[in-house]
Amino acid sequence: MSASNENETNINGINLIAVKQLFDQCVDVDPSEWPSLFGQSQCNEVEIIQVEELLALAANEQQHSQHESIISQQLQDLGQKMMPNQRLGPYQIEHEIGRGGMGIVFLAHRADGLYEQKVAIKITPSFASQEELQRFHLERQILAQLQHPNIAMLLDGGTTPDNRPFLVMEYVNGEPITSYANSHNLNLKQRLKLFCAVCEAVNFAHDCLIVHRDLKPENVLVTDEGKVKLLDFGVSKMLQSEQLSGNTTMQQGLTLAYASPEQVKGERSTTATDIYGLGALLYELLCATVPHPVKTNSPEQAIQNICLKEPLHPSQVVGKTAQPLHYKALKGDLDNIVAQALRKEPVLRYASAIDLQADIQRYLKGQAVLATPRGHWYRLTKFVKRHPISTALAGALVMALNAGLIISLNLNQQLVAERDQLQKTQIKLEQQVVTADQVIDMLTDMFRAASPNKAQGKVLTVDDLVNTALAQIQTSLQDQPEVKSRLLTVLSDVHYYVGKDQKAVELLEQALTLKKQIKGALTAVELGDLGNRYRMAGQYDNAEKYLQQSMTLLEQTRETSVLDKIKIYSYLGLYYNERSDFEQALRFFTLQHQHWTEQPNEEIDPGATGVRYNLANSYRQLQQQQKALEIMTSVLADRQRLYGKTHPKIVETLSWLAGAYMENNQMDYALEASSHSYQLAQKLFEPNMNRYFESVITHAEVLMAIGEYQQAVALFAAEITPAVTNKRAKAYYDAFLSTALLNLGDYQQGVVHARQGFDILNPIYKDSIAFMYEVQSSYGLLAILSDTDIKQGTAMLQTLYAGCVKQWGEQSQRAGLIMHYLGISELHKGEFTQAQAYFDKAAKTFDQVYDANHKQRGALAQSYGELYMAQRQWSEALPWLQKSLTIFGKSQAPGTLPITLVNAMQAEALWHMGDKRQASVLLKRHGDTIINQVTTESVYHQYTIGLQQLISTNDNR
Amino acid sequence: MMKDKDGGSLELTEQLYQELKGCANRILANQNANLTLQTTEVVNEACMRLIESDSKFNDKAHLYRSAAKAMRHLLIDHARAKATDKRGNNAVKTAWMDDLLSGTDENIGLIVIDQTIDEMQSISERLVSIVELHYFAGFSQPKIAELLSIGLATVERELKFARSFLSQRLQHQE
């Protein structure tokens, strides 16, 4: 044994074999026997101490999971590694550029040659369930809309083959803001200006209801051009909806040095968390250190400091060290600003990033800042002491709503679409929810209901949340009408945002009635709000009543602010627009635009593009296409500049332009705009969102305008799925599909879809001819052509014609088109004289409203041809058919139905005139093309087959 | 194994691959049942190493032991690379909260585990095999006993020592 002792002794002079032997002897016996076993052993003192330690550890079971967890963490980590050149979708990984608690970031580039673009791909750790993947997908939709010049854009996302989600972000080649400031020797003013840009970006995110939660220099880069870019929103927001309970996983991925008190305590993060993050960032920009430096060996101490200790003022820090900034410049205002952003209590910080920014700007202009030393916070602290929970919960409510929504898919989509509006609700809540124990109780209940713990296993809807609150408000607060009125207003908003228009208007009416009782009268804006809400609920009588009152009041009172005027004018414009009184709409939108140019408010409508959009819209409705297009192309350019090229507003603008180009017979432009819009919509929207289906409809309209009817039918076949639950979307898809089928000659199918669409839309829009025009015209004509209900169809077309004349005048495109349709139905009935009269009338109108090559004139020429052929006047028909072909040749794609069909008609006419050879040639060339494009249900199918039989009989003879 | 390229060796490769995949899945399953992981990549790499090591397998136990060892080396290389990275790139600023709270740096942790297993080499080869099969192949104790043709009590005793020994070395790191 002694010989082996020397051989087996390790570097520390310990014989491990002996240690293990002694350990094995002792481990299964009672500790009281250990001393004697130690005495008998050959181990030296050091070895015995080691054995004692090991035995103590063996008794402590807890220690052991540690090894497994270290190993499995490594394995997980390794599993996330991407190899250089590995492909993820269209992206090729170049190399790793960063990693942290919440994932790994790789530099990559597009490998499909579509764009030369470097991107950063963030791969998150594995997700557990299908549900979470789905949630991730929804989050991506939200993030996709987070487009701001100072925020690194989310470009794409997807899942790896093993189901791990990844995000593709714009790759920003820049320097962390603090090191940028130092390496460029920025002075105080330059630093503050840079910081203001950060505030703006953070504020934009907050407007989108997204909290960053991890603001720190590494996430705030400055590019070579000096432009600020915020990074890493993706993970922050995903965390948001993930785990809300206060366990440690919530803290993963946070950097302690920049974490807020509520974060280290594992409490809910709100927008105030980012205000703290901004404060920490500003602190470091000013004095080159973080508010609470973290020593790696004592995170506990750091956490305690963050939660309890007031950091030194920047001026004090600078005073101690030789920093480029002088402490005199920091002392006072800047110290106060930083301190207010870094308050331990979220409610005591700046209410928003914009408030923080505004205070800095006041400082830069030499004005008095709002931030004050802590002692002067008497009033607010007093308020908070009185109502500590209500204030905190006010903010929590909307976050809770947001979290709840993620669970309920449909409502979530609506809310995502309207989330900027919801942000306004949040602000209102913060401003207005003030007192009363009942309020606190109510909010507490809602808050609890929204927590994922409660929601687990069942679908929690916004309805559930709001109804709980509503029931409580309506039965309580009798003695506090003011609070009640305010809360009802907020809940009215919430109802509106989730699509319950009727309930929304009802609640607002209640709220304002209460208000009127308290204050005696309502303001112009309040009346306007109510009128507008009635408009949105489709109750036009009430809408008009209140809007008129609002307008009257506006004219009487001098003190209405310009912003309020703008608001009321836009309500009126929207109202008249919806009632199809476009002259009036234009009048109010013009007023709105005038006031706007006097006092632009970039926060509400950057570049006034929204105002100009409405204006262009009115011009378009008034058939002043050139003017409308002029305004809107400038809106598109401004919006692309302001929002980036992939943004919901761009979809809307492109769709609009596609429609207007189409009306102006500029088909190439129209198709380009509508395809682009449709592609963007697929990327940005869920199928049930209004903006999605509007884009689909526009694209279909353009396809039909160039004669690609089967493509339009294919588009609808792809879009009409059981997943589409939006009623309006369904109705419009049906309506437009019926128009496509009408043109393809499939009247039976067409009339079915037309009726479906009509039945949904008519109850909602029966007063608004602009909304009903499409579905009513195709339903009317199809009812006749399919012989379903000739009488009703005729009546519908005649009513519609009268409506068009009233709305747009006799010499308008729409009136002309209905006249043409009336002619077609007379022709179908065999009333040739009447048909001719209608066609002649339509022709007169078309001469005035369309240029010579417009498709519609080609269609009319075709109808004349049909009219003569129906009367067996073959030679009279021919020149019309020829004219029709010439016109179609200008706008219709070659080989599309209108062109081939007229060729077949020519063949028929020629055959009857005796030119059987020419007829046969023409039909051979075009007959099968027609048959390939239409279904067997189509009248054109039957017509062509019949014609082929007729003409081939002749061949055989 | 690479020397004779007949059908038998290919079969062995496929078997080896499946074994490695099993190793990875077992390690993860012991920790968190819900994880999905890109095990394929990891396993591929471990497999390549094993093939390149050009060794011959006498029996199934040998194969398993080799697989566990390959996994161990793969992970330790990864941890070393990361540890170097962390020291290199602004080590202070990317002090992640979870790292700080857990008290252990998992990279250093694995390096310590690796060194400790090397130390155990001086005690016995069998101890090392048991540790590797348990920690890096995720086998249960009865399965290890069966593979190494030893009693279950022995496996339990050896692991008891190994656990305490690893814990001690991890405590003493730094």
Side-chain angles (χ1 to χ4, degrees):
Chain A
M1 208 37 137
S2 66
S4 80
N5 250 356
E6 279 162 35
N7 289 343
E8 302 296 343
T9 299
N10 74 0
I11 40 164
N12 300 323
I14 288 173
N15 178 345
L16 284 176
I17 293 182
V19 166
K20 178 163 182 291
Q21 264 174 5
L22 185 55
F23 176 87
D24 286 348
Q25 281 172 358
C26 295
V27 72
D28 291 324
V29 302
D30 195 84
S32 62
E33 293 175 39
W34 291 353
S36 71
L37 287 170
F38 290 166
Q40 289 161 27
S41 83
Q42 296 170 1
C43 291
N44 63 31
E45 227 168 279
V46 182
E47 285 161 356
I48 286 176
I49 291 173
Q50 170 135 40
V51 172
E52 280 180 310
E53 261 187 56
L54 289 173
L55 287 167
L57 285 167
N60 182 1
E61 301 269 324
Q62 282 183 343
Q63 285 290 336
H64 302 318
S65 62
Q66 198 191 2
H67 326 136
E68 272 101 342
S69 106
I70 287 173
I71 292 163
S72 81
Q73 267 186 38
Q74 287 292 348
L75 185 56
Q76 280 177 44
D77 207 70
L78 189 57
Q80 287 174 29
K81 206 166 99 177
M82 289 280 148
M83 305 300 159
N85 295 330
Q86 192 172 337
R87 288 276 297 257
L88 270 182
Y91 304 97
Q92 188 165 4
I93 303 288
E94 290 187 8
H95 56 81
E96 195 177 305
I97 47 178
R99 65 167 63 217
M102 285 310 292
I104 307 180
V105 185
F106 299 92
L107 179 66
H109 63 269
R110 274 192 87 104
D112 58 4
L114 274 182
Y115 312 99
E116 268 301 309
Q117 189 176 29
K118 293 259 183 207
V119 296
I121 295 190
K122 180 152 204 160
I123 302 192
T124 53
S126 313
F127 275 65
S129 64
Q130 198 55 39
E131 192 192 329
E132 273 171 322
L133 281 174
Q134 213 170 14
R135 192 180 291 174
F136 176 83
H137 179 69
L138 283 171
E139 296 294 350
R140 202 182 112 194
Q141 303 272 334
I142 298 175
L143 288 172
Q145 306 201 13
L146 193 61
Q147 300 204 353
H148 186 274
N150 297 119
I151 297 175
M153 207 173 20
L154 179 78
L155 299 168
D156 201 351
T159 48
T160 61
D162 64 327
N163 261 353
R164 277 182 303 138
F166 64 86
L167 296 170
V168 182
M169 315 283 297
E170 174 186 357
Y171 174 66
V172 180
N173 195 1
E175 201 179 340
I177 185 166
T178 45
S179 58
Y180 178 91
N182 295 334
S183 66
H184 288 71
N185 279 324
L186 297 191
N187 62 27
L188 179 60
K189 197 173 166 188
Q190 290 166 321
R191 280 165 199 248
L192 291 175
K193 284 210 163 145
L194 212 51
F195 180 76
C196 282
V198 184
C199 290
E200 234 166 73
V202 170
N203 192 65
F204 178 83
H206 289 178
D207 280 351
C208 302
L209 280 189
I210 293 172
V211 182
H212 188 291
R213 307 195 351 150
D214 196 17
L215 290 169
K216 57 181 175 186
E218 290 98 315
N219 282 339
V220 183
L221 300 187
V222 184
T223 63
D224 290 343
E225 300 89 60
K227 195 164 192 177
V228 168
K229 286 271 188 187
L230 254 68
L231 309 184
D232 220 5
F233 268 96
V235 171
S236 57
K237 177 58 190 174
M238 274 153 38
L239 279 174
Q240 186 75 48
S241 59
E242 281 275 294
Q243 319 209 353
L244 296 166
S245 55
N247 62 25
T248 47
T249 38
M250 241 198 104
Q251 296 163 347
Q252 281 198 355
L254 291 176
T255 315
L256 200 47
Y258 300 92
S260 64
E262 62 268 27
Q263 281 172 304
V264 300
K265 286 190 267 182
E267 292 166 3
R268 188 178 280 267
S269 319
T270 64
T271 52
T273 308
D274 283 348
I275 304 298
Y276 185 96
L278 284 170
L281 201 62
L282 179 59
Y283 194 97
E284 196 173 347
L285 271 174
L286 296 179
C287 58
T289 175
V290 292
H292 299 286
V294 179
K295 290 191 184 119
T296 340
N297 54 12
S298 70
E300 296 81 6
Q301 183 60 46
I303 288 172
Q304 202 177 339
N305 289 347
I306 290 166
C307 295
L308 300 171
K309 203 178 144 203
E310 291 295 326
L312 288 175
H313 282 311
S315 63
Q316 293 172 303
V317 178
V318 172
K320 289 203 274 183
T321 55
Q323 293 299 328
L325 300 180
H326 200 273
Y327 87 101
K328 267 190 187 162
L330 305 181
K331 200 168 161 52
D333 284 346
L334 284 175
D335 280 346
N336 290 340
I337 288 175
V338 168
Q340 183 161 341
L342 287 176
R343 296 267 188 254
K344 306 293 180 205
E345 310 85 340
V347 290
L348 293 182
R349 295 174 204 149
Y350 284 100
S352 72
I354 281 300
D355 287 318
L356 169 57
Q357 187 205 28
D359 232 10
I360 290 172
Q361 273 164 350
R362 276 183 213 106
Y363 171 84
L364 285 170
K365 287 183 202 157
Q367 300 167 345
V369 306
L370 297 183
T372 48
R374 195 174 174 83
H376 295 203
W377 271 72
Y378 173 73
R379 271 187 57 208
L380 185 55
T381 27
K382 198 175 147 199
F383 167 77
V384 171
K385 273 191 190 126
R386 231 169 50 210
H387 312 288
I389 315 174
S390 68
T391 320
L393 279 179
L397 168 62
V398 168
M399 300 313 289
L401 275 175
N402 205 32
L405 285 165
I406 310 263
I407 297 161
S408 157
L409 235 146
N410 255 334
L411 289 167
N412 182 45
Q413 282 160 7
Q414 294 188 29
L415 245 152
V416 167
E418 300 291 349
R419 75 199 183 293
D420 44 347
Q421 297 289 346
L422 195 68
Q423 169 68 12
K424 287 176 195 155
T425 315
Q426 184 183 18
I427 293 164
K428 272 192 197 166
L429 267 168
E430 277 167 359
Q431 290 166 345
Q432 302 193 338
V433 177
V434 270
T435 52
D437 292 342
Q438 293 99 314
V439 177
I440 296 169
D441 289 345
M442 177 205 85
L443 287 172
T444 317
D445 280 353
M446 282 180 77
F447 181 54
R448 286 204 195 107
S451 81
N453 293 340
K454 276 221 169 166
Q456 232 158 39
K458 74 165 190 138
V459 175
L460 178 78
T461 65
V462 179
D463 280 12
D464 297 341
L465 288 174
V466 173
N467 288 335
T468 315
L470 187 58
Q472 290 179 31
I473 294 173
Q474 278 178 332
T475 55
S476 61
L477 294 169
Q478 301 310 343
D479 49 341
Q480 300 183 32
E482 191 152 354
V483 175
K484 185 169 178 171
S485 162
R486 286 168 174 179
L487 283 172
L488 286 170
T489 311
V490 171
L491 284 172
S492 163
D493 290 351
V494 174
H495 273 94
Y496 168 64
Y497 302 140
V498 299
K500 310 242 154 154
D501 295 338
Q502 302 302 332
K503 190 78 192 163
V505 74
E506 201 179 289
L507 289 171
L508 189 63
E509 181 92 60
Q510 285 181 25
L512 293 180
T513 310
L514 272 173
K515 199 158 193 180
K516 204 170 167 183
Q517 285 166 10
I518 307 161
K519 292 183 18 186
L522 295 176
T523 65
V525 173
E526 282 163 348
L527 287 164
D529 283 341
L530 191 55
N532 190 48
R533 199 51 56 89
Y534 270 117
R535 170 186 68 81
M536 293 189 287
Q539 300 185 28
Y540 293 121
D541 291 348
N542 280 326
E544 190 173 9
K545 183 176 95 188
Y546 286 113
L547 288 172
Q548 289 293 355
Q549 286 180 18
S550 167
M551 185 64 189
T552 315
L553 203 57
L554 180 74
E555 282 160 355
Q556 285 167 359
T557 40
R558 285 257 158 261
E559 63 263 31
T560 315
S561 76
V562 176
L563 270 184
D564 285 346
K565 277 187 192 164
I566 289 170
K567 199 172 179 187
I568 293 166
Y569 288 142
S570 82
Y571 287 163
L572 283 155
L574 290 168
Y575 169 79
Y576 285 114
N577 185 52
E578 215 160 287
R579 302 311 309 277
S580 303
D581 186 343
F582 302 112
E583 301 274 355
Q584 284 288 351
L586 180 62
R587 192 185 129 216
F588 286 111
F589 286 140
T590 310
L591 274 169
Q592 187 198 7
H593 190 234
Q594 278 167 6
H595 281 87
W596 199 277
T597 27
E598 282 165 28
Q599 193 172 356
N601 189 327
E602 294 300 318
E603 276 171 48
I604 295 174
D605 184 7
T609 56
V611 181
R612 279 146 68 207
Y613 186 98
N614 285 337
L615 206 53
N617 212 28
S618 300
Y619 279 117
R620 179 177 163 195
Q621 293 290 357
L622 290 167
Q623 315 273 324
Q624 301 188 34
Q625 306 294 356
Q626 282 307 332
K627 182 94 186 156
L629 278 167
E630 207 174 281
I631 298 174
M632 199 58 95
T633 24
S634 78
V635 167
L636 180 67
D638 282 352
R639 285 184 168 176
Q640 283 180 332
R641 187 170 48 75
L642 285 160
Y643 302 104
K645 289 195 191 309
T646 315
H647 189 278
K649 286 206 193 307
I650 306 299
V651 179
E652 176 194 61
T653 320
L654 283 168
S655 287
W656 192 98
L657 278 169
Y661 279 128
M662 194 163 48
E663 282 164 30
N664 218 27
N665 208 26
Q666 293 168 275
M667 292 304 168
D668 290 351
Y669 285 133
L671 185 62
E672 196 185 320
S674 74
S675 314
H676 190 176
S677 159
Y678 179 54
Q679 278 166 16
L680 277 183
Q682 285 178 309
K683 218 164 147 185
L684 291 172
F685 302 139
E686 291 291 332
N688 278 311
M689 285 170 65
N690 286 348
R691 292 187 279 186
Y692 183 83
F693 88 74
E694 279 158 14
S695 170
V696 174
I697 294 294
T698 308
H699 189 45
E701 279 186 288
V702 174
L703 287 174
M704 291 198 276
I706 58 171
E708 296 284 8
Y709 295 107
Q710 331 81 272
Q711 279 196 38
V713 172
L715 176 68
F716 286 122
E719 294 296 341
I720 300 180
T721 64
V724 180
T725 51
N726 181 329
K727 269 185 150 186
R728 271 185 68 204
K730 272 190 189 162
Y732 277 102
Y733 288 165
D734 275 328
F736 280 83
L737 177 56
S738 77
T739 310
L741 291 167
L742 167 70
N743 283 284
L744 287 169
D746 191 346
Y747 303 141
Q748 300 306 329
Q749 277 295 314
V751 77
V752 170
H753 287 285
R755 186 187 301 119
Q756 284 173 6
F758 183 82
D759 286 348
I760 300 176
L761 290 178
N762 192 44
I764 314 173
Y765 292 113
K766 75 169 165 289
D767 291 339
S768 181
I769 189 164
F771 285 98
M772 289 304 294
Y773 178 84
E774 182 71 32
V775 70
Q776 195 167 341
S777 59
S778 66
Y779 185 30
L781 186 55
L782 279 163
I784 299 163
L785 295 181
S786 64
D787 295 315
T788 316
D789 192 337
I790 295 180
K791 225 172 137 186
Q792 195 202 349
T794 311
M796 278 174 84
L797 287 181
Q798 273 161 353
T799 322
L800 189 57
Y801 180 74
C804 289
V805 170
K806 194 171 157 220
Q807 189 68 54
W808 295 289
E810 209 175 307
Q811 306 302 326
S812 66
Q813 292 182 359
R814 290 187 175 97
L817 190 68
I818 301 303
M819 191 47 69
H820 185 184
Y821 276 11
L822 281 165
I824 294 173
S825 20
E826 291 306 314
L827 175 56
H828 178 75
K829 296 180 214 161
E831 301 287 344
F832 301 128
T833 321
Q834 189 55 40
Q836 168 121 31
Y838 282 137
F839 287 156
D840 289 349
K841 213 170 166 193
K844 249 174 87 183
T845 307
F846 285 1
D847 281 347
Q848 291 189 24
V849 297
Y850 289 123
D851 67 51
N853 293 319
H854 196 279
K855 174 200 168 192
Q856 219 55 57
R857 297 179 72 158
L860 186 59
Q862 182 187 356
S863 291
Y864 273 114
E866 271 179 72
L867 177 65
Y868 288 116
M869 284 169 73
Q871 299 170 82
R872 307 188 67 80
Q873 300 172 352
W874 311 108
S875 57
E876 281 85 348
L878 267 185
W880 286 108
L881 296 178
Q882 193 52 52
K883 181 179 179 187
S884 160
L885 275 180
T886 313
I887 297 173
F888 281 156
K890 311 271 186 197
S891 68
Q892 307 291 283
T896 52
L897 196 58
I899 293 181
T900 48
L901 195 62
V902 178
N903 274 300
M905 289 166 67
Q906 263 186 336
E908 188 191 358
L910 287 168
W911 190 85
H912 285 291
M913 288 165 71
D915 191 348
K916 304 199 169 168
R917 210 182 109 81
Q918 180 66 14
S920 170
V921 169
L922 265 178
L923 190 64
K924 280 210 176 102
R925 197 183 302 154
H926 296 284
D928 289 341
T929 319
I930 298 173
I931 288 174
N932 288 337
Q933 288 184 58
V934 299
T935 61
T936 48
E937 311 298 313
S938 168
V939 293
Y940 301 141
H941 179 87
Q942 295 148 25
Y943 171 74
T944 312
I945 297 282
L947 204 56
Q948 281 174 336
Q949 279 166 357
L950 179 76
I951 292 177
S952 70
T953 318
N954 169 61
D955 276 356
N956 295 341
R957 210 181 282 162
Chain B
M1 204 172 89
M2 296 295 281
K3 282 171 193 164
D4 45 41
K5 294 193 171 178
D6 58 10
S9 71
L10 271 177
E11 213 175 86
L12 193 56
T13 311
E14 172 59 27
Q15 193 186 353
L16 184 63
Y17 179 81
Q18 290 306 332
E19 287 310 327
L20 282 166
K21 205 163 166 180
C23 290
N25 284 333
R26 277 190 299 270
I27 294 173
L28 290 168
N30 290 343
Q31 282 294 301
N32 186 340
N34 283 331
L35 279 170
T36 58
L37 176 80
Q38 196 169 7
T39 38
T40 333
E41 285 293 324
V42 179
V43 173
N44 278 342
E45 203 177 327
C47 221
M48 283 315 292
R49 287 179 180 218
L50 210 47
I51 291 166
E52 279 159 14
S53 76
D54 207 18
S55 47
K56 283 201 158 101
F57 304 109
N58 312 325
D59 52 27
K60 210 162 184 186
H62 186 198
L63 170 67
Y64 285 128
R65 290 206 313 274
S66 307
K69 214 176 259 302
M71 189 61 82
R72 175 183 157 199
H73 289 310
L74 187 66
L75 291 179
I76 186 69
D77 286 353
H78 179 61
R80 283 207 184 101
K82 277 196 305 167
T84 319
D85 253 17
K86 266 198 179 175
R87 275 193 297 276
N89 299 329
N90 43 21
V92 181
K93 284 190 171 171
T94 41
W96 296 91
M97 187 127 160
D98 42 341
D99 294 346
L100 289 173
L101 290 180
S102 74
T104 346
D105 180 320
E106 91 240 11
N107 299 325
I108 296 170
L110 196 76
I111 294 169
V112 171
I113 289 175
D114 184 61
Q115 286 165 352
T116 312
I117 296 173
D118 279 348
E119 255 190 285
M120 290 183 204
Q121 201 81 44
S122 71
I123 298 171
S124 75
E125 185 64 38
R126 189 180 68 182
L127 179 61
V128 172
S129 290
I130 291 172
V131 168
E132 284 179 341
L133 285 170
H134 180 69
Y135 285 115
F136 292 97
F139 283 119
S140 68
Q141 299 186 14
K143 181 76 189 174
I144 295 173
E146 185 199 317
L147 278 173
L148 300 179
S149 313
I150 50 176
L152 178 57
T154 312
V155 175
E156 283 170 356
R157 199 182 59 231
E158 298 284 288
L159 272 177
K160 209 175 254 181
F161 174 79
R163 279 199 198 100
S164 300
F165 194 51
L166 283 166
S167 295
Q168 193 195 32
R169 289 295 191 261
L170 279 168
Q171 275 184 355
H172 285 239
Q173 76 181 63
E174 283 169 37

